């Protein structure tokens, strides 16, 4: 409602302003009507604002009062619920604690009894095991001694046979090795003689061929050097003769050119 009144007031104000500007100065007496309309509009706007403000204040008071009542109820209910929960938790803890102590006493008593029985049974079992182990050890010891005597006697006999056979086998191996070495050595000597003889023959041929090849190479090199040396000397002589001829020609040309220049300046040209 306040929003509509304000829009009405604004429209009225703008209309009045436009109307007053459009009136000529001669109609100034009609401005009294405009002033009354303006005052009425302002009074209505003020009344509307006061009502809105008052209603808002009342609405806020009711909301605040309701929130306080709701908070008081929630606080009171929370406190009651906490008291009940705390009381119930205490009772539950007492019951749990009492039951745990009773259960622990029973467990402790049962564990002690079980340990006594286990210990007593273990002692009896150990006595039986110890007694049986001693008897078994005596039997094992006696049997082991007999087995060792038999094993030792058999091992000695086996060793004698093995030793005797090894000596015989060694004699045969030694004898065969000596024979094989003699044959190998004799064959190696014969092979070496053949190899040495062939190597000397091959070396003689190689040495002879190398000497012949060297003579040919040396002879060819001497001939080539003679030709090179002869050609170099001929070339040097030609160069020397050419230099003399060139110098002679240059001297003659320079003399002729000087004569021509002198005749040109003296006017004695032919």
């Amino acid at each position: 409602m306040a929003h509509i009144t304000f829009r009405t007031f604004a429209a009225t104000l703008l209309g009045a302003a436009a109307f007053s500007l459009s009136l000529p100065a001669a109609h100034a007496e009609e401005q009294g009507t405009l002033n009354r309309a303006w005052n009425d509009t302002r009074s209505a706007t003020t009344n509307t604002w006061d009502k809105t403000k008052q209603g808002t204040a009342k609405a806020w008071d009711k909301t605040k009062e309701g929130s306080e009542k709701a908070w008081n109820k929630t606080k009171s209910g929370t406190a009651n619920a906490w008291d009940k929960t705390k009381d119930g938790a205490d009772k539950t803890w007492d019951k749990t604690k009492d039951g745990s102590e009773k259960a622990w006493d029973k467990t402790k008593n049962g564990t002690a009894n079980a340990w006594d029985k286990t210990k007593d049974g273990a002692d009896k079992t150990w006595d039986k095991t110890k007694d049986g182990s001693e008897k078994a050890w005596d039997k094992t010891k006696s049997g082991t001694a007999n087995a060792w005597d038999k094993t030792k006697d058999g091992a000695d006999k086996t060793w004698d046979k093995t030793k005797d056979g090894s000596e015989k086998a060694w004699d045969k191996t030694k004898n065969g090795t000596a024979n094989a070495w003699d044959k190998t050595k004799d064959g190696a000597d014969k092979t070496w003689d053949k190899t040495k003889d062939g190597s000397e023959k091959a070396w003689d041929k190689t040495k002879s061929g190398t000497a012949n090849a060297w003579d040919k190479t040396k002879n060819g090199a001497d001939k080539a050097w003679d030709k090179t040396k002869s050609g170099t000397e001929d070339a040097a002589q030609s160069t020397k003769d050419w230099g003399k001829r060139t110098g002679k020609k240059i001297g003659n040309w320079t003399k002729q050119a000087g004569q021509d220049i002198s005749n040109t300046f003296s006017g004695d040209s032919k």
Side-chain angles (χ1 to χ4, degrees):
M1 179 179 179
H3 184 62
I4 296 174
T5 303
F6 180 74
R7 291 181 62 184
T8 304
F9 168 72
T12 304
L13 183 62
L14 291 173
F19 180 74
S20 63
L21 291 174
S22 64
L23 292 177
H27 299 93
E29 61 183 15
E30 295 181 3
Q31 292 181 358
T33 302
L34 180 62
N35 290 331
R36 286 193 299 274
W38 167 256
N39 291 330
D40 293 340
T41 301
R42 187 175 66 176
S43 176
T45 302
T46 302
N47 292 333
T48 301
W49 171 249
D50 291 337
K51 291 179 181 179
T52 302
K53 183 179 179 183
Q54 185 181 10
T56 302
K58 290 181 179 179
W60 170 249
D61 292 336
K62 291 181 180 180
T63 302
K64 183 178 177 182
E65 182 182 3
S67 298
E68 290 178 351
K69 289 181 180 179
W71 169 248
N72 291 330
K73 290 181 181 179
T74 302
K75 183 178 178 182
S76 175
T78 302
N80 292 334
W82 170 248
D83 292 335
K84 292 180 181 179
T85 302
K86 184 179 177 183
D87 183 68
D90 290 339
K91 291 180 180 179
T92 303
W93 170 248
D94 292 335
K95 292 180 181 179
T96 303
K97 184 179 178 183
D98 183 68
S100 298
E101 290 178 350
K102 291 180 180 178
W104 170 248
D105 292 335
K106 292 180 181 179
T107 302
K108 184 179 178 182
N109 189 7
T111 302
N113 292 333
W115 171 248
D116 292 336
K117 292 179 181 179
T118 302
K119 183 179 178 182
D120 183 68
D123 289 340
K124 292 180 180 178
T125 302
W126 171 247
D127 292 336
K128 292 179 181 179
T129 303
K130 184 179 178 182
D131 183 68
S133 297
E134 290 177 351
K135 291 180 180 179
W137 171 248
D138 292 336
K139 292 180 181 180
T140 302
K141 184 178 178 182
S142 173
T144 303
N146 293 333
W148 170 248
D149 292 336
K150 293 179 182 179
T151 302
K152 184 179 178 183
D153 183 68
D156 289 339
K157 291 179 181 179
T158 303
W159 171 248
D160 291 336
K161 292 180 182 179
T162 303
K163 184 178 178 183
D164 183 68
S166 298
E167 290 178 351
K168 291 179 180 178
W170 170 248
D171 291 336
K172 291 180 181 179
T173 303
K174 183 178 179 182
N175 189 0
T177 303
N179 293 333
W181 170 248
D182 292 336
K183 292 179 181 179
T184 302
K185 183 179 178 183
D186 183 68
D189 290 339
K190 292 180 180 179
T191 303
W192 170 247
D193 292 338
K194 293 180 181 179
T195 303
K196 183 179 178 183
D197 184 68
S199 297
E200 289 178 352
K201 291 179 180 179
W203 170 247
D204 291 337
K205 292 180 182 179
T206 302
K207 182 178 179 182
S208 174
T210 302
N212 293 333
W214 169 249
D215 291 337
K216 292 179 182 179
T217 302
K218 183 179 179 183
N219 191 344
D222 290 339
K223 290 180 180 179
W225 171 248
D226 292 337
K227 291 180 181 179
T228 302
K229 183 178 178 183
S230 175
T232 303
E233 290 177 353
D234 292 341
Q237 185 63 37
S238 297
T239 302
K240 184 176 179 182
D241 295 338
W242 180 80
K244 290 180 180 181
R245 292 193 299 270
T246 302
K248 185 176 182 181
K249 288 183 179 181
I250 292 173
N252 293 333
W253 178 81
T254 303
K255 182 177 180 181
Q256 182 65 35
Q259 185 64 39
D260 291 341
I261 293 171
S262 176
N263 293 336
T264 299
F265 284 102
S266 64
D268 188 12
S269 58
K270 294 182 182 179

